Amino acid sequence: MTRYARYFLAAGVASCLMGGLARADKPADPAAVSSEDGKYADKDGRPTFNVGKDGKVDFYTYIGYVRYTANCMHCHGPDGLGSTYAPSLVNSLKSLDYADVMTTVANGKKDVSESSQLVMPSFGENKNIMCYIDAIYIYLRARSVDAIPRGRPQDHEPKPKDFSETEDSCMG
Amino acid sequence: MSKTFLTGLLTTGALLSSVLTAPPVMAQAPAAAGKDWSTPAGSLNGQRFSSLNQITNENAHKLQVAWTFSTGVLRGHEGAPLVVGDTMFVHAPFPNTVFALDLNNDGKILWKYEPKQDPNVIPVMCCDTVNRGLAYGDGKIFLHQADTTLVALDAKTGNVAWSVKTDDPSKGATGTDAPIVVKDKVYVGVSGGEFGVRGWFGAFNTADGKPAWKGYSIGPDSDTLIQPGKTTDLGKPVAANSSIASWQGDQWKIGGGATWGWKSYDPQTNLIYYGSGNPSTWNPKQRPGDNKYSMTIWARDADTGAVKWLYQMTPHDEWDYDGVNEMVLADQEIDGKPRNLLVHFDRNGFGYTLDRVTGELLVAEKFDPAVNWASKVDLDPKSETYGRPQVLPQYSTEHNGEDVNTTNICPAALGSKDEQPSAFSPQTGLFYVPTNHVCMDYEPFRVSYTAGQPYVGATLSMYPPKGDTNMGNFIAWDARTGKIVWSDPEQFSVWSGALATAGNVVFYGTLEGYLKAVDAKTGKELYKFKTPSGIIGNVMTYEHAGRQYVAVLSGVGGWAGIGLAAGLNDPHAGLGAVGGYAALNQYTSLGGTLTVFALPRD
């Protein structure tokens, strides 16, 4: 088992990755149908967001914002909107599903030629990212369907009770 | 300007080396740039001032595009080309192509150098694959490649004379800085403050690339080349191993203090000046202490690297206010006394004026009125906090702690000014400073270190100061008093290096892509032209066949292109606010072009 798979395990998503999902034409309906310890899932069991009528977001969406902005923003731009350096993930996630995002973040992606120098680094070894990758995905998923506006979510559900423990054991 | 004065400047400008070996002249700044532009700042004093005066505040409105050149690379183009005699040397971002262009033959390509570099270095270059340019000396062109290869190219043929590896990109170290050449050595620093790299500054022999000395920013005195008891910090001798003593545990080994900024040199003192960057990580809680000597102005002996004096501007940084910006050496009178000054506009928003011989701190004032994280810098030599910024607890991310979002800090992490260098005109006595007018929210949190992986530890969001919509200003500054003389607002951060000329004209570029000429005395706009892409390069000037030219690289990117492409968002505008501020991607797109301007031939 690779090291990043262990981080995935810690984040509780290994089962999805191992399934070897193909790139979907369109990601599934993001509506949350279930939740466990403050983490929501869609009808296929994939992580998703939950936004209340008052704009209050689930804790993962909020942490996803924080971790996206610390680890991805300096290439993909503020709020997932893209930059002169890397594509808009708000757009990308309109067609990428969970497995695509996991694979790209863990392994990286390259488009290098005479006229293009696009390199997405591989973060499989990076705990600061892999321990939060579900949250980052959930945040971007919410952004991609316009469920949340730009900027820091103003209000969020409380920190789930096991969150810190899982975080500590993943970060080591 | 009198003709004799001009010729005097021109001869010394063309023959920098003769200045270096000349008998010491009474406290006189080194030459200005003349026909050639043979070092990144035009002259080793970092003034970016040219004695050329064909283009004046009277005729600058007639400027036209003389010729253009595409580098073939679509990334952020920082720095400026060099001109030596009849040849122009143009550099590009990754893959770091270098072109030699024949000015006698409409810019025909004399040679081209294109290194093969591992593309895995690309994403290690925090915030775009920029390179800040070339140095010239000993018949060679020097380039510090992204992969930290320092290469010397024969200026006539482009053949590789030698190359050395200066650091290790697999650990997050990259080369982005422009080297400078002084006498028989070439000097470079390293990037990687966001990867826990331990910064250093090094000298290599121009003849064969052999390392002459290397001084780390952080570590034991044997690594930093600090001489305890001799090296001074604000006039006081420093104690043994003062750097390590200001850290806890082994954090210093991944402590940052990168050195990717501009360098300058004073032949009178034989000192080389530069700044060091942020301590790693951005989370201040993970590195108690002053974190010396990150965020520091360094004065080292050019021959040995021994530290003469240093001054840490932002002890225990909590905002990513890198201290790497340019050090401009100028001679001016303060309180009726002639002084040899070093002037530095720091990311932290203070403009510092020091005595460059002794390191005495003379002036430290805010060069953007928005700056709020500190009330002032303590200038009382008798005070216990002498030289330290007086930090306001409400803007202290250390004080507010991990996982707390500290809001409305001005300036933002990119600073009231980033690497975009200022210019000085000895004629007006003023400094011309491209600035950012942007604030931020900053939330630090715990991170773990993995070699070669980003090591950041904070989330931040940026926006213009409350009530303002302009994200930049181009200002004239009096370093003797620490006051803004005039200020031209700009819609976006001004991310281009300035040029001052003897024609009483000052030039700079904008992120939308305008090359602008303004009156040096008043700041009045004289000319503007929209180049193919946003400008983050530095404006330079040269003379060829009796005609003065002004040149700039356009090619939007860098931090500016990333942060501003989609427009900033105001986090305090409440729910539902969309794209509160202008988006750069509505004004310009990727490019990589040199645009050269001149007056029409009559």
Side-chain angles (χ1 to χ4, degrees):
Chain A
M1 184 187 282
T2 59
R3 258 181 83 188
Y4 69 78
R6 260 193 288 128
Y7 298 141
F8 279 162
L9 251 189
V13 299
S15 53
C16 297
L17 225 217
M18 302 303 159
L21 297 162
R23 193 174 175 125
D25 288 341
K26 221 177 168 217
D29 181 357
V33 298
S34 64
S35 81
E36 202 184 325
D37 289 338
K39 188 173 182 179
Y40 294 80
D42 65 15
K43 64 175 172 22
D44 302 319
R46 293 188 183 113
T48 194
F49 54 87
N50 184 50
V51 183
K53 275 203 216 60
D54 51 0
K56 187 190 256 194
V57 301
D58 64 287
F59 189 75
Y60 282 83
T61 299
Y62 163 69
I63 285 295
Y65 162 81
V66 172
R67 294 288 166 166
Y68 169 85
T69 307
N71 295 303
C72 322
M73 183 267 272
H74 60 277
C75 290
H76 289 284
D79 309 313
L81 288 172
S83 77
T84 56
Y85 195 58
S88 156
L89 295 179
V90 169
N91 277 344
S92 291
L93 265 80
K94 293 190 201 309
S95 56
L96 299 185
D97 74 9
Y98 181 56
D100 302 327
V101 173
M102 292 297 145
T103 311
T104 305
V105 173
N107 300 332
K109 186 168 181 273
K110 270 196 196 83
D111 179 4
V112 179
S113 68
E114 194 62 40
S115 60
S116 164
Q117 288 91 26
L118 295 174
V119 181
M120 161 76 190
S122 59
F123 289 127
E125 303 275 307
N126 189 326
K127 296 184 188 186
N128 302 316
I129 292 170
M130 294 321 276
C131 293
Y132 301 89
I133 193 59
D134 270 12
I136 294 173
Y137 171 76
I138 291 168
Y139 162 72
L140 289 170
R141 193 173 189 187
R143 288 283 302 137
S144 75
V145 296
D146 235 351
I148 53 171
R150 290 189 63 174
R152 185 187 185 91
Q154 312 253 323
D155 193 10
H156 57 80
E157 292 172 15
K159 191 189 262 195
K161 81 176 171 353
D162 291 338
F163 187 88
S164 296
E165 204 178 297
T166 317
E167 186 181 21
D168 286 348
S169 71
C170 182
M171 288 288 280
Chain B
M1 176 184 273
S2 77
K3 193 138 184 242
T4 38
F5 180 33
L6 224 190
T7 353
L9 277 178
L10 281 180
T11 32
T12 37
L15 293 166
L16 276 173
S17 54
S18 74
V19 177
L20 306 181
T21 48
V25 199
M26 193 28 222
Q28 198 185 55
K35 286 186 182 175
D36 284 359
W37 188 274
S38 59
T39 190
S43 51
L44 291 174
N45 56 19
Q47 289 183 359
R48 296 175 188 275
F49 174 76
S50 168
S51 58
L52 300 181
N53 62 0
Q54 269 181 22
I55 300 167
T56 68
N57 54 329
E58 305 276 309
N59 63 22
H61 67 276
K62 291 194 214 148
L63 280 168
Q64 291 178 348
V65 173
W67 57 282
T68 61
F69 178 78
S70 168
T71 66
V73 182
L74 296 177
R75 297 250 63 98
H77 282 60
E78 289 183 353
L82 298 181
V83 167
V84 180
D86 294 330
T87 311
M88 175 184 274
F89 300 94
V90 181
H91 71 287
F94 190 93
N96 302 135
T97 331
V98 179
F99 298 92
L101 306 181
D102 185 358
L103 296 175
N104 288 328
N105 203 350
D106 278 346
K108 176 167 180 272
I109 298 171
L110 293 169
W111 54 257
K112 175 182 173 184
Y113 166 75
E114 186 170 332
K116 282 264 165 292
Q117 299 186 73
D118 182 348
N120 284 321
V121 73
I122 293 174
V124 190
M125 308 186 72
C126 162
C127 338
D128 213 352
T129 52
V130 298
N131 184 283
R132 298 188 189 85
L134 309 167
Y136 171 78
D138 194 19
K140 303 184 182 87
I141 287 290
F142 300 94
L143 164 75
H144 199 195
Q145 293 175 190
D147 64 0
T148 66
T149 302
L150 174 64
V151 61
L153 307 171
D154 183 311
K156 289 252 146 30
T157 61
N159 293 338
V160 174
W162 52 257
S163 84
V164 288
K165 199 83 180 170
T166 68
D167 211 321
D168 182 359
S170 75
K171 298 210 169 66
T174 51
T176 63
D177 65 327
I180 68 168
V181 174
V182 174
K183 296 183 277 189
D184 60 351
K185 295 189 183 65
V186 54
Y187 300 82
V188 288
V190 72
S191 301
E194 278 61 53
F195 290 81
V197 162
R198 183 160 66 113
W200 52 264
F201 189 83
F204 298 82
N205 294 335
T206 53
D208 53 12
K210 242 182 84 206
W213 55 260
K214 188 175 199 179
Y216 284 87
S217 306
I218 294 167
D221 293 336
S222 53
D223 284 5
T224 58
L225 309 184
I226 287 172
Q227 300 176 293
K230 266 180 96 180
T231 300
T232 60
D233 179 350
L234 291 179
K236 287 212 187 85
V238 297
N241 294 317
S242 52
S243 167
I244 294 200
S246 70
W247 292 82
Q248 269 183 22
D250 278 349
Q251 183 69 25
W252 63 270
K253 291 183 178 162
I254 49 169
T259 49
W260 49 273
W262 309 100
K263 310 134 184 64
S264 42
Y265 172 74
D266 179 3
Q268 311 298 336
T269 54
N270 196 39
L271 293 175
I272 192 152
Y273 303 92
Y274 67 96
S276 52
N278 63 288
S280 305
T281 113
W282 284 13
N283 175 8
K285 286 280 183 204
Q286 278 179 275
R287 43 174 172 78
D290 275 353
N291 310 136
K292 289 174 178 175
Y293 284 94
S294 62
M295 312 306 213
T296 296
I297 300 177
W298 296 77
R300 288 183 188 270
D301 183 281
D303 299 332
T304 64
V307 182
K308 171 89 187 298
W309 59 263
L310 38 69
Y311 167 54
Q312 188 182 40
M313 294 168 286
T314 314
H316 188 64
D317 170 68
E318 314 166 37
W319 312 268
D320 188 36
Y321 295 152
D322 278 47
V324 301
N325 293 352
E326 74 285 358
M327 310 292 163
V328 188
L329 314 183
D331 295 340
Q332 294 193 285
E333 276 191 9
I334 293 192
D335 296 332
K337 270 192 272 165
R339 306 287 302 233
N340 305 128
L341 302 177
L342 177 153
V343 175
H344 169 80
F345 300 93
D346 199 58
R347 287 250 288 257
N348 73 14
F350 285 89
Y352 295 87
T353 307
L354 294 97
D355 182 311
R356 69 173 177 271
V357 183
T358 62
E360 184 194 348
L361 181 59
L362 304 170
V363 178
E365 295 290 339
K366 297 173 180 180
F367 62 91
D368 180 350
V371 173
N372 66 8
W373 66 281
S375 55
K376 59 169 189 163
V377 174
D378 187 346
L379 289 179
D380 176 6
K382 289 193 259 345
S383 162
E384 267 194 5
T385 55
Y386 178 40
R388 294 178 82 95
Q390 307 295 297
V391 178
L392 272 64
Q394 80 196 89
Y395 302 119
S396 164
T397 72
E398 164 75 39
H399 177 263
N400 298 338
E402 286 177 348
D403 302 322
V404 175
N405 192 32
T406 299
T407 59
N408 281 314
I409 309 166
C410 308
L414 44 68
S416 295
K417 184 183 147 315
D418 202 280
E419 61 81 30
Q420 59 276 40
S422 53
F424 171 72
S425 164
Q427 291 179 354
T428 60
L430 299 177
F431 289 79
Y432 300 96
V433 196
T435 72
N436 308 317
H437 189 56
V438 181
C439 305
M440 69 173 169
D441 296 352
Y442 190 108
E443 175 175 350
F445 50 75
R446 190 165 56 101
V447 277
S448 77
Y449 174 77
T450 306
Q453 286 287 335
Y455 184 53
V456 181
T459 276
L460 53 96
S461 61
M462 299 185 276
Y463 42 88
K466 234 191 169 103
D468 288 348
T469 49
N470 64 309
M471 289 170 260
N473 292 295
F474 187 73
I475 67 166
W477 174 260
D478 189 331
R480 295 161 292 200
T481 56
K483 292 210 162 59
I484 296 172
V485 178
W486 50 256
S487 178
D488 290 344
E490 283 287 348
Q491 169 160 250
F492 294 104
S493 298
V494 188
W495 213 279
S496 136
L499 166 71
T501 69
N504 203 23
V505 188
V506 173
F507 297 88
Y508 67 99
T510 74
L511 280 178
E512 298 101 316
Y514 290 105
L515 178 282
K516 291 191 176 178
V518 301
D519 187 295
K521 293 208 178 82
T522 62
K524 191 177 149 251
E525 189 175 295
L526 305 167
Y527 172 78
K528 71 172 176 182
F529 177 84
K530 193 162 179 192
T531 66
S533 179
I535 299 177
I536 60 170
N538 307 331
V539 192
M540 58 81 78
T541 186
Y542 65 95
E543 184 182 310
H544 182 255
R547 204 170 174 211
Q548 182 184 358
Y549 294 86
V550 168
V552 71
L553 284 166
S554 45
V556 74
W559 224 145
I562 288 156
L564 304 179
L568 296 178
N569 179 57
D570 184 348
H572 311 301
L575 269 183
V578 242
Y581 303 101
L584 192 52
N585 61 12
Q586 290 168 355
Y587 292 82
T588 194
S589 178
L590 297 178
T593 310
L594 178 77
T595 310
V596 184
F597 301 83
L599 294 170
R601 296 183 203 271
D602 30 38

